[in-house]
Amino acid sequence: MVNEARPRLVYFHSSRSGHCRRVEGYIAQVLQRRRNHDTFAYYSVAREERPDLLDKFDITLMPTLVVVEGRSVAARLEEPRGAKHIETFLAPWLR
């Protein structure tokens, strides 16, 4: 059962894309900061493994970050450009 108290950060990506691998590193930089490592339940979804979830969340661009609170999508960021861009996007949830 998913802990609904913590928002979920879902990272949709392609495992074959160099840009997606770089963005994964940027996400790690943001979330590994001391006070933010447990802010989200983090899920990484590869396009090749779960095309059904891409359809469910209407994902058309890679990479895309989605914040889910409860049963709703609270925010979406398509094609993040760097750690600062991701940090700004996630600012409402970060401590």
Side-chain angles (χ1 to χ4, degrees):
M1 174 166 236
V2 174
N3 178 1
E4 300 263 343
R6 224 170 35 153
R8 292 172 305 283
L9 178 61
V10 186
Y11 176 52
F12 293 95
H13 63 94
S14 170
S15 59
R16 295 175 221 174
S17 166
H19 178 63
C20 289
R21 285 191 295 275
R22 281 190 301 280
V23 168
E24 196 161 26
Y26 301 147
I27 295 167
Q29 287 175 10
V30 172
L31 296 182
Q32 288 177 357
R33 294 202 171 103
R34 190 166 52 119
R35 296 178 319 216
N36 296 321
H37 70 278
D38 64 348
T39 302
F40 297 97
Y42 178 72
Y43 300 92
S44 179
V45 178
R47 168 176 49 196
E48 303 82 10
E49 295 173 12
R50 292 298 307 265
D52 59 312
L53 288 179
L54 273 71
D55 290 339
K56 180 178 179 179
F57 284 89
D58 193 28
I59 303 298
T60 57
L61 296 171
M62 296 288 156
T64 296
L65 288 167
V66 175
V67 177
V68 179
E69 289 186 302
R71 296 182 151 267
S72 305
V73 172
R76 171 189 301 257
L77 177 64
E78 296 175 336
E79 299 182 310
R81 294 182 301 272
K84 195 65 165 167
H85 192 208
I86 294 167
E87 188 170 18
T88 300
F89 166 71
L90 296 177
W93 296 274
L94 299 177
R95 294 176 246 155

